[in-house]
Amino acid sequence: MGVSIHGGHRAPSAGSDPHHLSPRCDSPTHHPLPAPSPPCSPASPLLLPPSSSASKIDSLRSKVDLLKLPLALSTKSISERKIQLGGAGERRSAGGGGGACTARSPPTRDMDNESQYSGYSYKSSHSRSSRKHRDRRERHRSKSRDSSSRGDKSVTIQTPGEPLLDAESTRGDDRDDNWGETTTVVTGTSEHSISNEDLTRVTKDLEESTPLECKRFIGPALGGCLSFFALITPLAFLILPQVLWRDALKPCGTPCEGLYVSLAFKLLVLLISSWALFLRPPRATLPRFFVFRCLLMVLVFLFVASYWLFYGVRVLEPKEEDYQGIVEYAASLVDALLFIQYLALVLLEVRHLQPAFCLKVVRSTDGASKFYNVGHLSIQRAAVWVLDRYYNDFSVYNPAVVNLPKSILSKKMTGFKVYSLDENTTNNSTGQSRAMIAAAARRRDNSHNEYYYEEAEMERRIRKRKARLVVAVEEAFTHIKRLHEDEAGASPKHPREVMDPREAAQAIFAPMARAMQKYLRTTRQQAFHSMESILTHLQFCITHNMTPKAFLERYLTPGPTMQYQQQSGRGRQWTLVSEEPVTSGLRQGLVFSLRRLDFSLVVTVTPLPFLRLGEEFIDPKSHKFVMRLQSETSV
Amino acid sequence: MSFVPGQPVTAVVQRIEIQKLCQGENLILGFSIGGGIDQDPGQNPFSEDKSDKGIYVTRITPGGPAEVAGLRIGDKIMQVNGWDMTMVTHDQARKKLTKKREDVVRLLITRKSLEEAVKHSKGSHPRQ
């Protein structure tokens, strides 16, 4: 954006001067704007025309304001800051709205600013006429952008795939309510937090979109080759003599045919069970070798290799003529393969079914914990097992939910600052920190009080918004009725517009959108639900005749992480952190953790208690009762 | 009035002699008893220790021989004519009291106020 010090011809200029408004709105006649800004309403020419003296002051003021802006634009923070600046020193409130008008570079964050304005308009003490102007301008802007979810104002929905509110608006709730507090905050802090969140989001996106690793398929491919080789071997044993020295073979009649049949069926069983048990796409790549699987593959390889060796030495070389013996040999190989498959079944599938250990899984960020019973597994297999359950049982990790609200945390941070004037501070550091902690402990603080009231207030707010949401959704659902086939041609005189589920969803989304947005923002779930996803879910619910309550269950409680997964084949990256080698088995007192970018799951292993079950036989006839007596006899 | 199992029971008792009254065919004493080792001691309103399974006087006919003799409601009967009443069943107690051949029953009864009177007197006359 060009920083030219002209009066009012810069897009992100100060919001505090109304004089900028009209020249910007008559943009075709003035310099072209560096940033895209929507055409402003025709109501704006009601304001003052630009005057040169005021423009000079304004230019200076706008220069100052520009320096205060961070270069990383986020519409919310900029526009919010605009409002603060506007609120600080403005004479006419129209400027505030006008300033924010130009600072909205991405057009999709409408609902964001809209609710912000609502907060602002109730808090500011401006004249009714100016508020009217602002409202009218907002309305025109909304119409011009053709955006949705302005309450009951418009219906068409335009923006696909955007989060309902961007991630920075997690702070917006604090700002909305304590905006006076943050008026003088230096923009530096907010800028850093923006970039941090963006960074984590970007890295997460990057890692989700890593290309398909070929490493994932090496193991199964190897196993597949080996099993194919093993299956072909008996057939090769049978066919090779026929092909090579057919004439010299002793003919064998019925016994051979019987053996052929049994061989065929055993091979068929081997094939089917291999397909059923082993031909599955792998669900996880383990950091080290999967010991049992490797063992089995080595075993199969050894078996087949030794059989081939024996075959080569004893049959192929001397050109053995006893064909029946060869067939029996092939049959014995198939038997051995069946037994190896049995072994594989037991080792890979059955052994770990009997529960032996209890795993406690705790999430490091918010302490959500669960207990699971597992059998004898290696650490890496147990980790995969736990992660399978994690995606279903644990509610989704919401980084926006912190334990202590910021207002209390910040108070805790501002404690005593200890400055050391010496140069060598190494020996004093622990002493200083201890002094600080002791001082902080002695200082009487009421943050627990604030925490309690903050919690209660938050609870109340959530409940209020939830009530509004439920009512809005219930009402919205009453607008739609399913059309049965026999009704279609029944009433020609009342032609009703027939809609498919998508259109029906869009039609009823508008009245509930605002309540939904506010509720999601209060419970800090707005990052998980984009408008598109809400619409899709609404369409789904309408199609399946769900009640409003069923539609809302997805939003009222944070569901398991599985609910929010995008179906990408890339997989999730987890790091197994363990002090023991990960192929060792589980045992008592083992602790390992599964780490992800921003949180980790800590798993503790305890063995299940040994149960000593005793027996007590009760004869059914032994159930006898007497009344409790308190008789009184007169003598 | 609670006892320690295995230790002799000590109590301050009062001797009461009741003459049986002849009412038609029966000889009545004019009171009712409750308790016994086969009864539920928890429902005894007169006992201090609710595990006490002794025989207690639960009702006294006004003007009857028992009242005349000085028996009061809530008294625990320790002996009847020499027979022990602290470890008997309800029916045994009744039998001991209603022997047709005897027309006098000599009871040893104990009550809380007796102990207090003794303590009081001991306290006022420490020599005795």
Side-chain angles (χ1 to χ4, degrees):
Chain A
M1 59 187 152
V3 180
S4 60
I5 309 181
H6 290 292
H9 296 311
R10 226 170 322 134
S13 57
S16 57
D17 25 26
H19 309 292
H20 292 265
L21 191 55
S22 43
R24 219 181 291 116
C25 290
D26 312 333
S27 54
T29 67
H30 293 264
H31 306 268
L33 294 170
S37 68
C40 297
S41 68
S44 49
L46 290 172
L47 302 165
L48 299 180
S51 62
S52 60
S53 62
S55 64
K56 214 174 272 181
I57 302 174
D58 297 333
S59 70
L60 290 175
R61 202 185 303 152
S62 56
K63 180 180 170 193
V64 166
D65 292 331
L66 183 61
L67 291 177
K68 281 197 205 161
L69 284 176
L71 294 181
L73 280 183
S74 96
T75 61
K76 181 152 169 98
S77 39
I78 288 178
S79 48
E80 213 257 38
R81 235 165 277 120
K82 291 281 165 225
I83 292 174
Q84 291 163 9
L85 293 170
E90 75 170 41
R91 293 153 285 151
R92 306 274 292 267
S93 64
C101 167
T102 58
R104 307 157 133 260
S105 23
T108 61
R109 317 266 168 113
D110 301 335
M111 294 191 279
D112 204 28
N113 286 318
E114 147 105 354
S115 65
Q116 193 184 75
Y117 284 150
S118 64
Y120 175 64
S121 61
Y122 293 126
K123 290 196 170 110
S124 68
S125 57
H126 300 294
S127 61
R128 205 183 325 132
S129 60
S130 55
R131 199 180 303 150
K132 199 167 52 178
H133 285 313
R134 196 168 359 105
D135 284 349
R136 202 178 312 157
R137 197 174 318 109
E138 279 178 67
R139 218 169 296 137
H140 283 293
R141 201 185 320 122
S142 77
K143 276 212 191 98
S144 66
R145 292 217 184 167
D146 196 19
S147 66
S148 71
S149 70
R150 299 262 176 171
D152 45 0
K153 288 177 186 142
S154 74
V155 173
T156 57
I157 289 153
Q158 206 185 26
T159 61
E162 284 283 329
L164 202 57
L165 298 162
D166 56 316
E168 301 130 20
S169 58
T170 51
R171 297 188 318 279
D173 224 1
D174 305 330
R175 296 253 188 117
D176 257 357
D177 300 319
N178 314 322
W179 68 278
E181 216 178 89
T182 56
T183 311
T184 54
V185 166
V186 179
T187 59
T189 49
S190 57
E191 181 181 348
H192 286 155
S193 56
I194 296 169
S195 51
N196 242 351
E197 288 191 32
D198 277 345
L199 206 63
T200 47
R201 204 159 23 127
V202 162
T203 47
K204 250 195 226 171
D205 290 342
L206 264 184
E207 74 161 14
E208 304 311 11
S209 62
T210 48
L212 211 52
E213 288 176 350
C214 296
K215 203 166 62 136
R216 194 156 123 169
F217 295 111
I218 283 184
L222 207 60
C225 289
L226 200 60
S227 52
F228 177 72
F229 184 54
L231 283 175
I232 290 295
T233 305
L235 299 174
F237 284 1
L238 292 180
I239 291 177
L240 278 178
Q242 296 278 349
V243 164
L244 290 181
W245 62 92
R246 193 192 190 117
D247 316 316
L249 283 177
K250 275 192 261 187
C252 74
T254 325
C256 267
E257 280 159 19
L259 282 172
Y260 287 159
V261 172
S262 80
L263 203 68
F265 277 117
K266 280 185 201 159
L267 271 181
L268 187 67
V269 168
L270 250 185
L271 208 66
I272 293 181
S273 56
S274 303
W275 167 81
L277 289 174
F278 306 126
L279 247 65
R280 283 174 296 191
R283 297 232 18 268
T285 45
L286 303 176
R288 300 252 181 113
F289 289 126
F290 186 172
V291 171
F292 286 147
R293 211 182 285 163
C294 287
L295 184 73
L296 286 165
M297 292 209 303
V298 164
L299 205 61
V300 166
F301 179 70
L302 280 180
F303 249 76
V304 173
S306 61
Y307 264 74
W308 267 111
L309 194 66
F310 186 81
Y311 187 74
V313 167
R314 292 286 184 206
V315 174
L316 283 182
E317 284 216 13
K319 295 205 190 308
E320 175 69 41
E321 295 158 6
D322 181 15
Y323 194 57
Q324 185 174 354
I326 295 176
V327 177
E328 281 169 0
Y329 185 64
S332 77
L333 172 63
V334 177
D335 287 340
L337 286 179
L338 273 175
F339 287 136
I340 292 186
Q341 192 173 72
Y342 162 74
L343 187 66
L345 186 66
V346 164
L347 280 182
L348 295 181
E349 308 282 335
V350 171
R351 181 171 178 255
H352 61 77
L353 287 180
Q354 186 183 26
F357 295 101
C358 180
L359 301 182
K360 175 173 182 182
V361 185
V362 183
R363 184 157 60 188
S364 65
T365 49
D366 56 357
S369 69
K370 283 258 168 4
F371 286 85
Y372 297 116
N373 281 1
V374 294
H376 288 275
L377 290 172
S378 61
I379 296 184
Q380 51 183 8
R381 280 176 84 190
V384 171
W385 201 96
V386 162
L387 285 179
D388 273 343
R389 302 288 172 306
Y390 167 78
Y391 278 101
N392 278 341
D393 292 339
F394 277 71
S395 64
V396 64
Y397 165 61
N398 196 345
V401 174
V402 290
N403 285 331
L404 287 182
K406 278 223 178 68
S407 49
I408 298 175
L409 268 180
S410 58
K411 282 214 184 96
K412 275 207 167 294
M413 299 304 188
T414 64
F416 298 110
K417 276 205 158 292
V418 181
Y419 296 97
S420 69
L421 303 174
D422 286 346
E423 259 147 37
N424 51 342
T425 57
T426 49
N427 46 357
N428 281 350
S429 53
T430 47
Q432 279 175 14
S433 53
R434 270 204 220 112
M436 267 174 69
I437 293 171
R442 262 182 265 126
R443 180 173 50 121
R444 191 190 129 196
D445 72 320
N446 283 339
S447 54
H448 58 90
N449 226 6
E450 294 176 30
Y451 178 55
Y452 169 71
Y453 283 116
E454 183 86 28
E455 284 271 285
E457 177 64 32
M458 179 62 103
E459 184 89 4
R460 215 177 52 89
R461 219 184 301 154
I462 290 182
R463 262 188 271 145
K464 221 170 37 166
R465 294 221 170 146
K466 174 178 165 181
R468 283 202 194 128
L469 175 66
V470 167
V471 164
V473 170
E474 294 261 351
E475 213 185 293
F477 266 67
T478 58
H479 294 320
I480 286 219
K481 188 171 91 95
R482 183 171 266 266
L483 184 69
H484 299 284
E485 289 80 20
D486 47 341
E487 285 179 11
S491 58
K493 30 186 190 166
H494 306 288
R496 287 182 285 195
E497 187 192 324
V498 176
M499 303 183 281
D500 67 349
R502 179 86 190 167
E503 292 164 0
Q506 285 174 353
I508 64 172
F509 181 59
M512 71 163 89
R514 191 184 171 77
M516 172 73 77
Q517 166 217 343
K518 281 189 165 271
Y519 178 79
L520 287 181
R521 191 127 71 87
T522 314
T523 52
R524 301 180 197 275
Q525 286 177 306
Q526 69 270 19
F528 295 126
H529 302 286
S530 69
M531 202 160 22
E532 184 58 32
S533 77
I534 301 181
L535 263 180
T536 315
H537 187 235
L538 185 57
Q539 175 187 346
F540 171 79
C541 291
I542 292 179
T543 315
H544 294 275
N545 290 329
M546 294 212 198
T547 59
K549 198 163 170 186
F551 164 69
L552 280 177
E553 66 84 29
R554 193 174 171 172
Y555 305 108
L556 292 182
T557 48
T561 318
M562 194 59 108
Q563 196 175 329
Y564 303 97
Q565 295 298 312
Q566 288 89 20
Q567 286 304 319
S568 63
R570 301 296 176 247
R572 314 275 149 224
Q573 170 77 23
W574 288 83
T575 313
L576 177 56
V577 178
S578 149
E579 291 160 13
E580 304 247 337
V582 296
T583 48
S584 61
L586 293 178
R587 54 181 183 73
Q588 179 184 15
L590 207 57
V591 176
F592 59 95
S593 74
L594 290 154
R595 202 165 29 138
R596 204 148 149 75
L597 270 182
D598 36 5
F599 65 96
S600 62
L601 300 171
V602 180
V603 182
T604 321
V605 180
T606 39
L608 287 176
F610 181 76
L611 303 169
R612 274 193 218 102
L613 212 56
E615 182 202 344
E616 186 182 327
F617 174 69
I618 294 186
D619 188 2
K621 293 202 206 93
S622 70
H623 295 293
K624 296 210 186 308
F625 292 91
V626 288
M627 286 291 288
R628 286 189 122 177
L629 298 173
Q630 192 57 31
S631 44
E632 195 185 341
T633 330
S634 56
V635 291
Chain B
M1 294 196 224
S2 56
F3 70 98
V4 175
Q7 299 299 318
V9 176
T10 56
V12 180
V13 295
Q14 176 183 354
R15 268 184 241 270
I16 288 187
E17 196 172 301
I18 307 180
Q19 302 284 333
K20 289 192 185 177
L21 183 64
C22 188
Q23 217 179 55
E25 275 199 3
N26 312 330
L27 290 168
I28 61 161
L29 288 164
F31 64 98
S32 303
I33 56 165
I37 53 178
D38 55 341
Q39 306 284 311
D40 177 18
Q43 298 187 25
N44 193 338
F46 306 110
S47 62
E48 280 184 10
D49 179 15
K50 288 304 170 193
S51 61
D52 185 6
K53 296 187 173 182
I55 306 291
Y56 282 78
V57 175
T58 56
R59 206 164 41 88
I60 299 205
T61 327
E67 193 183 10
V68 165
L71 198 62
R72 296 288 169 260
I73 189 172
D75 293 351
K76 176 175 175 184
I77 302 179
M78 307 296 278
Q79 276 182 18
V80 170
N81 286 342
W83 295 100
D84 170 60
M85 287 283 130
T86 55
M87 275 288 149
V88 291
T89 64
H90 189 87
D91 209 41
Q92 286 169 346
R94 180 189 58 84
K95 281 193 189 144
K96 293 288 185 279
L97 282 167
T98 54
K99 286 207 187 310
K100 288 216 159 102
R101 307 248 176 132
E102 303 166 355
D103 47 358
V104 166
V105 286
R106 294 182 179 86
L107 311 175
L108 285 183
I109 59 105
T110 179
R111 58 176 88 98
K112 187 80 176 132
S113 52
L114 286 178
E115 306 222 7
E116 281 167 14
V118 167
K119 257 191 247 163
H120 193 66
S121 66
K122 265 202 179 148
S124 57
H125 302 284
R127 245 190 323 131
Q128 290 176 10

